[in-house]
Amino acid sequence: MMMKIVGLLLMLCSGAALAGPVFANYTEEQTTGWAAVSPAVAGLIVRSDADLQLQADEETAEKNLKPGDYRQFFVSRKLPLAADGRTFLFVRPKSSPYFRTFYGAHTFCHWIVDDRNNILYDGNSDAFQLLDSRSNGLKDIQEAQCHGGKCYLVKLSFKAGKYQETSCSTQDIDSGKLSQGCDAGQ
């Protein structure tokens, strides 16, 4: 576990040096003090995927929580995504209480939602960064998937109305060495 944290810190630091992150978040970051999401945003996220909704409803029942109240799962932060001042939210599951529906073995689900309650991006990774660079009016993002001693850093840019992968690099967790491209077996 400590090696994973060291790897993620290396990834975040190297990303900061290369692209200047504006915002960063990772799986195990505490969300105490984050804002609640609206019922509309919470419902939108859960209902966007039938399997996700089924799992959320099952976990709600197992924990004897209020059925259909998806707000209880999520928190948000305002995200400075656009230069024109439009409001965007970075939404993720609460760190406590823990809801397994929105986490993987070492990853967490996250979404970018616009001011009209549209999901602009949904991801599931070890770490998320909002970069200072931008494409088509919105800042680029970078996500990290870490396993097998390496972190795969995927940069995404806004094109044709959605975020699309524009590059990928591989960082060795032990050495911190960064190389262009990602292994096909990631």
Side-chain angles (χ1 to χ4, degrees):
M1 183 57 147
M2 184 57 136
M3 182 61 82
K4 178 162 181 67
I5 292 170
V6 170
L8 285 173
L9 289 175
L10 278 171
M11 184 278 306
L12 290 172
C13 290
S14 69
L18 294 174
V22 174
F23 171 83
N25 198 249
Y26 58 95
T27 304
E28 295 159 353
E29 186 169 331
Q30 295 300 304
T31 60
T32 306
W34 285 48
V37 299
S38 70
V41 167
L44 171 74
I45 288 170
V46 173
R47 291 183 190 104
S48 69
D49 180 299
D51 288 334
L52 186 68
Q53 183 172 0
L54 178 64
Q55 291 173 29
D57 289 341
E58 287 174 355
E59 188 164 4
T60 299
E62 287 170 11
K63 293 182 175 178
N64 295 317
L65 299 171
K66 184 178 177 185
D69 180 8
Y70 300 123
R71 281 185 79 195
Q72 60 198 337
F73 296 127
F74 304 108
V75 290
S76 67
R77 284 259 167 103
K78 288 185 179 179
L79 202 58
L81 197 61
D84 64 8
R86 286 181 290 157
T87 303
F88 295 86
L89 292 178
F90 177 78
V91 180
R92 65 159 292 158
K94 290 180 178 179
S95 58
S96 182
Y98 173 81
F99 296 105
R100 72 179 179 280
T101 297
F102 307 102
Y103 288 92
H106 50 81
T107 62
F108 72 109
C109 295
H110 43 273
W111 300 265
I112 297 174
V113 180
D114 71 13
D115 57 352
R116 289 181 255 152
N117 291 340
N118 295 307
I119 297 173
L120 195 59
Y121 180 74
D122 67 281
N124 185 346
S125 62
D126 292 88
F128 171 94
Q129 288 186 341
L130 180 63
L131 304 175
D132 199 28
S133 59
R134 70 178 69 242
S135 301
N136 298 307
L138 297 181
K139 291 186 179 176
D140 299 329
I141 59 178
Q142 178 175 276
E143 293 200 328
Q145 295 283 343
C146 302
H147 51 84
K150 298 179 185 212
C151 285
Y152 302 94
L153 310 176
V154 177
K155 181 178 176 185
L156 301 113
S157 296
F158 194 73
K159 295 180 181 181
K162 63 181 179 177
Y163 275 96
Q164 300 178 37
E165 183 177 329
T166 56
S167 67
C168 189
S169 55
T170 303
Q171 185 169 35
D172 184 80
I173 290 175
D174 292 332
S175 71
K177 181 181 175 192
L178 191 64
S179 58
Q180 292 303 311
C182 290
D183 299 336
Q186 69 172 328

